[in-house]
Amino acid sequence: MLSDSNPKGVIVTDKDFKLPSPTEVAVLELLSGKEMYGLEMVKASDRLTRGSIYVILNRMEDKGLVSSRVAETTGPSAGRRIYSSTGLGQRAYAAWQQAQAAFALSWNPGVA
Amino acid sequence: MREHEEQVKHLWEVASNNAKMLKKTQDYLKSLKKQISEVSTALNAETRTLTETEEALLKGALVDIKGLLEEMPQPIRTVGTKTVSKVGKLRGNRNTKSVITSPGSLVLKVAEFLCTKKVYERVFLQAVLDMRGEYNEALSSGRKEKAQWVLIRSYLALTWSVTLQVIEFLLSGPAKIIKTLWS
């Protein structure tokens, strides 16, 4: 059910789908339900760094997990991109949460 | 190119005028402060001492001027990596002229030349815009040391971005080939 098309129009199917990496999860967690700039994400998270954030976002955009648009501002900050989670990204995050819950349950079967 | 040069000239003239005005205002406030101090001392030395109201007024004026002088931004000595003395001289004219560039301009030029448009716009341009935003914010609040620190930190981050991007590029090529062969 995890099929979706990324901005390039490439269909991502269950076969291609991989759980997001921990840094990608950190990004998806921040982007759940809102749009953010890269620097905002770095400031809001302990896991993300200035040096890696745009490389990660670029990779995630290629995978179709996030999408971006150029923010409508003028002046020196013109051209900055604002990021949001795609449908596939949201489902990937949900799948990761379920996997975490299942893993925790397998370690502590008594705790339901 | 010509239009760009005209724009830079115009911006430089505006900035120069602003800097001159700022300097003039600061000088005027300083001279005013000196005059008030002198008048205050002279009046105290005369037979008549200052009334409480007069003294309060003078003290208030001195405090106001001191506050204004502290609040006013200091004229910026350096912008980017070149000194102000070089500002206004345009590169391209033959009289050894150069223009001030924003931080990260060289990085962007190199990245634009070496990388794809997508990587340039999504990775390097964004990192440099962040750097400029933070740098300008620090400068406008008069914290030069912080501005310098922002530059150092941002250039280190950019170096790390370049490293990661190169690793991704090196890994993505062979991975695609192996995947194609495998399938």
Side-chain angles (χ1 to χ4, degrees):
Chain A
M1 296 303 286
L2 278 161
S3 64
D4 203 347
S5 58
N6 67 14
K8 284 180 179 173
V10 179
I11 302 294
V12 181
T13 61
D14 286 6
K15 193 183 155 194
D16 302 321
F17 182 77
K18 287 174 191 167
L19 274 180
S21 70
T23 42
E24 289 174 348
V25 168
V27 171
L28 290 172
E29 198 173 0
L30 287 168
L31 290 178
S32 51
K34 58 182 169 182
E35 292 184 319
M36 284 177 107
Y37 289 107
L39 190 60
E40 275 183 312
M41 289 183 226
V42 172
K43 285 177 180 171
S45 168
D46 297 330
R47 195 168 204 121
L48 304 168
T49 63
R50 284 158 209 270
S52 62
I53 183 70
Y54 292 112
V55 180
I56 294 166
L57 285 169
N58 184 31
R59 190 172 60 218
M60 288 175 77
E61 211 167 339
D62 283 344
K63 286 183 184 177
L65 295 172
V66 297
S67 63
S68 71
R69 63 180 173 84
V70 178
E72 289 166 6
T73 52
T74 52
S77 62
R80 286 181 79 189
R81 283 183 171 270
I82 192 157
Y83 293 86
S84 59
S85 179
T86 60
L88 181 67
Q90 285 167 17
R91 285 194 288 278
Y93 180 54
W96 180 85
Q97 280 181 318
Q98 282 171 10
Q100 285 291 103
F103 182 73
L105 201 64
S106 68
W107 274 98
N108 300 304
V111 183
Chain B
M1 192 63 191
R2 182 76 192 155
E3 194 183 334
H4 178 66
E5 283 185 3
E6 290 296 329
Q7 274 182 344
V8 173
K9 262 185 188 172
H10 172 68
L11 283 173
W12 167 241
E13 276 167 18
V14 172
S16 305
N17 287 337
N18 285 346
K20 278 177 195 166
M21 288 284 285
L22 181 66
K23 188 81 178 68
K24 273 185 186 172
T25 315
Q26 280 179 335
D27 290 345
Y28 172 70
L29 284 172
K30 276 178 191 166
S31 70
L32 202 62
K33 189 182 167 187
K34 200 180 166 189
Q35 277 177 24
I36 289 174
S37 298
E38 281 170 7
V39 169
S40 175
T41 317
L43 278 171
N44 274 323
E46 294 292 324
T47 49
R48 183 176 79 82
T49 54
L50 289 172
T51 63
E52 277 184 16
T53 321
E54 286 169 338
E55 201 172 336
L57 276 171
L58 283 173
K59 276 183 183 171
L62 276 175
V63 170
D64 285 348
I65 289 168
K66 200 181 166 189
L68 276 172
L69 281 170
E70 280 171 4
E71 278 175 24
M72 286 180 92
Q74 294 300 310
I76 298 164
R77 295 280 169 223
T78 56
V79 180
T81 52
K82 294 180 182 176
T83 56
V84 165
S85 61
K86 289 183 183 174
V87 177
K89 297 173 179 177
L90 288 170
R91 186 180 292 153
N93 294 351
R94 293 182 186 180
N95 317 328
T96 62
K97 294 181 174 180
S98 61
V99 82
I100 285 183
T101 52
S102 302
S105 299
L106 183 65
V107 175
L108 285 185
K109 276 181 194 168
V110 174
E112 198 174 9
F113 180 70
L114 291 176
C115 305
T116 59
K117 195 184 172 195
K118 189 190 83 180
V119 172
Y120 168 77
E121 279 180 1
R122 288 189 194 169
V123 180
F124 296 106
L125 181 63
Q126 300 306 310
V128 169
L129 286 176
D130 282 351
M131 171 169 77
R132 285 180 184 170
E134 284 191 296
Y135 178 70
N136 291 338
E137 200 180 308
L139 271 188
S140 60
S141 59
R143 290 180 291 175
K144 281 185 194 173
E145 289 79 16
K146 194 182 173 194
Q148 292 299 320
W149 165 239
V150 164
L151 278 188
I152 294 167
R153 188 180 59 186
S154 302
Y155 277 119
L156 286 174
L158 266 169
T159 311
W160 184 234
S161 293
V162 171
T163 313
L164 288 178
Q165 199 58 49
V166 168
I167 292 170
E168 281 226 348
F169 173 74
L170 292 175
L171 289 177
S172 67
K176 273 180 192 168
I177 293 166
I178 292 167
K179 204 176 169 183
T180 315
L181 288 173
W182 190 260
S183 62

